[in-house]
Amino acid sequence: MQPGMPLPPPKKNTGRTCLTAFLGVVGALALLAGGALAAHTVSNAQQDVSNRTGYGPAMWRNEPVDKLFPKTLGPKADAQSEADDPKSAEWHRLGISEQTGCADALTGTLAAEAEKRGCKAVLRATYADPTGNFVATVALIVLPEVEDPEEGMGTFFDAERDKRTESHGVKALPVPDTVAAGWKDSRRNGSDGMQAGGLYLPYAIAASAGSADGRKAGRLPGQWGRTEHDAKSDRMPWREAAETLAHDLSLHIGDLLMEETS
């Protein structure tokens, strides 16, 4: 090239140009895919909430009754375990009631409170502890949906625990050819209950427990009784047994909700 002559324009690097264009297209597609994935994730999350909103209140009539009341119930060993794991069983199911009427299942102040709150149905099952000494009937009380879980029956059960004598309960469900064959209302020694834990579960859970051999709670004298005429302390083992069964069932119902909507 002679001095003073203009420089020729640089040659285009065709390969580099194609690579740049290709990377630009790939980047754009990645952004689009990322946006679509995020939208899909949000959609799924919203769907889960929607499913739980609809599934929880309808669970009592959509699930088989022997799934609502599993063969065994017990505490959860850890976050991954379930309340119906036989390895931690505190209760073994003996029978399930075919009746679902509120008046067929509840007595006393519990029946009155459930009726006042618009009770829709009550499902019941009878369980026994592993020793066969304790029997108990637990009830899943179906209530109308409320926006605030605090509007449930938790405050009712709290107030009942402070009363001197038992005034509410679940009707005993006898089961022929089992340790609960002679189980009846007059053998109930203790009752307790709670509002089902978690959102989308408009249920109260209550239980009444007694002795398989029909032994009744009696008065405890002196330092063992709260007062000379008070049998409340003697009822504590049965009330605590009822509380345990109600709590275990509440955990199980919560597990079902998560299982079916996850």
Side-chain angles (χ1 to χ4, degrees):
M1 181 179 297
Q2 296 180 359
M5 293 183 63
L7 294 174
K11 294 182 179 180
K12 291 184 179 180
N13 189 325
T14 305
R16 180 177 298 174
T17 301
C18 291
L19 178 60
T20 301
F22 173 74
L23 291 177
V25 172
V26 170
L29 290 175
L31 287 174
L32 289 174
L37 179 60
H40 180 67
T41 301
V42 171
S43 176
N44 281 345
Q46 292 173 342
Q47 187 63 36
D48 285 346
V49 172
S50 176
N51 284 345
R52 289 175 187 172
T53 303
Y55 171 78
M59 183 191 307
W60 68 277
R61 61 171 175 262
N62 289 344
E63 289 288 353
V65 69
D66 58 353
K67 190 171 182 180
L68 292 172
F69 297 112
K71 290 183 178 180
T72 62
L73 281 169
K76 301 174 73 168
D78 51 50
Q80 284 70 45
S81 62
E82 296 184 345
D84 61 351
D85 187 348
K87 294 179 181 178
S88 58
E90 290 181 332
W91 296 96
H92 296 264
R93 191 189 71 213
L94 301 178
I96 299 172
S97 176
E98 295 181 355
Q99 298 176 317
T100 59
C102 300
D104 296 325
L106 309 176
T107 62
T109 55
L110 178 59
E113 183 72 13
E115 181 181 6
K116 182 177 73 174
R117 291 175 177 270
C119 177
K120 295 181 177 180
V122 178
L123 310 182
R124 283 181 302 158
T126 291
Y127 285 79
D129 78 326
T131 69
N133 291 324
F134 283 86
V135 293
T137 299
V138 63
L140 183 70
I141 305 170
V142 185
L143 301 170
E145 296 179 63
V146 293
E147 293 184 2
D148 185 357
E150 294 297 324
E151 297 178 15
M153 290 182 62
T155 53
F156 165 79
F157 290 114
D158 290 341
E160 289 294 311
R161 291 188 195 103
D162 292 333
K163 290 185 176 179
R164 186 177 296 276
T165 58
E166 294 283 340
S167 59
H168 74 286
V170 177
K171 286 187 178 181
L173 172 67
V175 184
D177 302 320
T178 71
V179 296
W183 176 225
K184 53 187 177 182
D185 287 352
S186 62
R187 292 187 174 185
R188 297 176 299 178
N189 287 333
S191 300
D192 206 343
M194 62 193 63
Q195 183 71 25
L199 297 173
Y200 321 121
L201 292 174
Y203 306 108
I205 299 173
S208 289
S211 180
D213 62 8
R215 181 165 59 93
K216 293 292 295 179
R219 294 176 181 173
L220 292 178
Q223 62 182 346
W224 293 281
R226 295 195 177 187
T227 70
E228 186 177 351
H229 304 289
D230 186 10
K232 184 173 182 179
S233 293
D234 194 29
R235 293 181 182 275
M236 287 300 292
W238 287 282
R239 190 194 68 75
E240 289 173 355
E243 178 187 22
T244 297
L245 178 55
H247 178 262
D248 291 345
L249 182 61
S250 179
L251 290 178
H252 172 66
I253 295 298
D255 287 344
L256 277 183
L257 178 68
M258 298 299 292
E259 175 186 327
E260 297 296 332
T261 58
S262 59

